[in-house]
Amino acid sequence: AKPMRRKIIIDTDPGQDDAVAILLALGSPAEIEVLGIVAVAGNVGLKQNARNALQVVELSGRTDIAVHAGCEGPMRRKLVTAEYVHGKTGLDGPTLPEPKIRLREQHGVDFIIETIRREPAKTVTLCALGPLTNVAMALVKAPDICERVQEIVLMGGGLFEGGNITPAAEFNIYVDPEAADVAFHSGMPITQAPLDLTHSMLTTRARIERFRGLGNRTGTATAEMLEFFERFDEQKYGWDGGPLHDPVVIAYLLKPELFQGRHVNVAIETGSELTRGMTVVDYWGVTGRTRNVNYLRSGDADGFYELLFERLATLA
Ligand code: RIB
Ligand code: CA
């Protein structure tokens, strides 16, 4: 039987890779219903991330999608942004028109709470593509949503690949470790897409040319986004292309068979400055701690990109 259509909320800090994740979701209406998009402070400031989200939704042609702004910054720490990766606007690469659609009035955290309370229990999936501030604040403000959410699928953390903003920490977790700690302790079902997985999903020249060749404005803009976005990691790692992190979260919902993982305990470092934001992954089960995470360790890169080409081709 056809699997139920997934209802999702995307919490995001666009970011070129976030943008491709949003496009993949919007290009898959038969399998995914996007209930709304919530911006969070991360790659760049909240207002700019929210504006970027409006531009991506408009690029897709799906202008019916609600976009909300969430929290201005981390729960306790000073906001750290990543213009050095994503450019001054956070979405450098293409020249996208001024967004005509506007942000919804309601705060993103309240939108998350209200939506999860309104929809039938266990039918809403949270897709977190940035720091977990909005997710944690929603859990603190409305602990009842923990039981109601179907699962959270998030991009963040890592073990075997180390960190990407410090030797120990990946950016999304590093920016708001306290928020990650709240989410990872919440008891919500968690699927984690770490750097160990996303570092094998490289853009490469051939794949960028495939996006450019889709023949629609979405494909052209995606090629331009990725050509800008990949340059930092290409120089840093010496790879052919950069790791396309966030779309893995959506690809997992569409084709979980593309990925391999295992249930393990993951805990978050919030005390040490040296290892702040590290996801301490008990991959070999040595602690006996609760196995709170479905940890995705590897995936089929070609299958992932074929899915992206296929779905983005259906957009404007
Ligand atoms: O470390 C990669 C993550 O940080 C991705 O979500 C990227 O968009 C940035 O937010
Ligand atoms: Ca992101």
Side-chain angles (χ1 to χ4, degrees):
K2 200 134 182 49
M4 279 281 285
R5 206 162 162 236
R6 273 271 193 168
K7 288 185 281 190
I8 73 171
I9 297 169
I10 301 175
D11 193 87
T12 177
D13 61 337
Q16 292 86 351
D17 59 321
D18 302 67
V20 179
I22 293 167
L23 293 170
L24 178 56
L26 296 180
S28 308
E31 296 112 310
I32 290 179
E33 178 185 359
V34 178
L35 298 176
I37 294 173
V38 179
V40 67
N43 281 326
V44 292
L46 173 70
K47 291 284 170 284
Q48 186 63 42
N49 282 337
R51 174 188 154 80
N52 294 343
L54 291 172
Q55 288 188 305
V56 174
V57 165
E58 213 153 83
L59 171 70
S60 76
R62 293 284 312 278
T63 49
D64 54 306
I65 301 293
V67 181
H68 296 253
C71 293
E72 302 265 353
M75 293 174 86
R76 185 168 78 70
R77 316 263 179 168
K78 188 175 169 315
L79 178 62
V80 171
T81 54
E83 285 83 355
Y84 62 95
V85 176
H86 300 275
K88 193 173 52 62
T89 70
L91 206 59
D92 284 25
T95 305
L96 297 175
E98 274 298 304
K100 288 191 212 55
I101 56 173
R102 304 180 54 73
L103 284 175
R104 301 300 167 91
E105 280 304 304
Q106 185 181 36
H107 191 286
V109 170
D110 294 323
F111 171 76
I112 291 171
I113 294 168
E114 184 185 276
T115 303
I116 292 174
R117 283 178 171 165
R118 181 192 66 232
E119 297 293 331
K122 305 281 185 195
T123 63
V124 176
T125 297
L126 278 174
C127 297
L129 312 180
L132 291 163
T133 314
N134 291 335
V135 171
M137 291 297 281
L139 287 165
V140 168
K141 185 168 183 182
D144 59 289
I145 65 170
C146 188
E147 286 302 308
R148 293 186 65 83
V149 73
Q150 180 171 353
E151 68 175 319
I152 179 168
V153 184
L154 60 91
M155 190 279 141
L159 173 67
F160 301 99
E161 286 293 304
N164 63 1
I165 182 160
T166 72
E170 176 280 327
F171 179 78
N172 288 341
I173 312 298
Y174 178 82
V175 168
D176 199 340
E178 285 69 28
D181 195 30
V182 167
F184 278 69
H185 270 111
S186 69
M188 273 189 301
I190 300 172
T191 292
Q192 179 181 354
L195 295 179
D196 304 334
L197 171 59
T198 64
H199 276 187
S200 61
M201 304 294 170
L202 299 183
T203 48
T204 79
R205 175 56 35 208
R207 286 165 174 163
I208 288 189
E209 288 320 308
R210 283 285 302 275
F211 283 116
R212 200 186 312 280
L214 289 184
N216 59 0
R217 71 179 188 213
T218 293
T220 306
T222 297
E224 291 165 346
M225 281 190 227
L226 297 187
E227 276 177 331
F228 182 91
F229 164 78
E230 70 176 7
R231 88 215 177 290
F232 177 79
D233 283 327
E234 274 188 320
Q235 282 154 19
K236 173 180 173 181
Y237 295 106
W239 294 332
D240 170 15
L244 189 52
H245 305 286
D246 292 335
V248 168
V249 166
I250 306 301
Y252 173 75
L253 299 182
L254 293 168
K255 284 197 166 179
E257 65 275 14
L258 288 175
F259 306 100
Q260 301 77 39
R262 65 169 65 172
H263 275 87
V264 295
N265 175 265
V266 178
I268 311 294
E269 176 59 68
T270 57
S272 151
E273 273 316 300
L274 175 64
T275 55
R276 156 197 166 167
M278 180 177 187
T279 53
V280 181
V281 182
D282 182 7
Y283 197 76
W284 307 110
V286 298
T287 66
R289 288 196 291 254
T290 312
R291 295 167 186 264
N292 55 336
V293 174
N294 172 29
Y295 190 81
L296 302 182
R297 174 78 176 84
S298 55
D300 168 5
D302 285 333
F304 170 61
Y305 276 93
E306 283 310 317
L307 182 63
L308 281 167
F309 301 138
E310 177 194 296
R311 298 304 164 90
L312 268 61
T314 67
L315 293 169

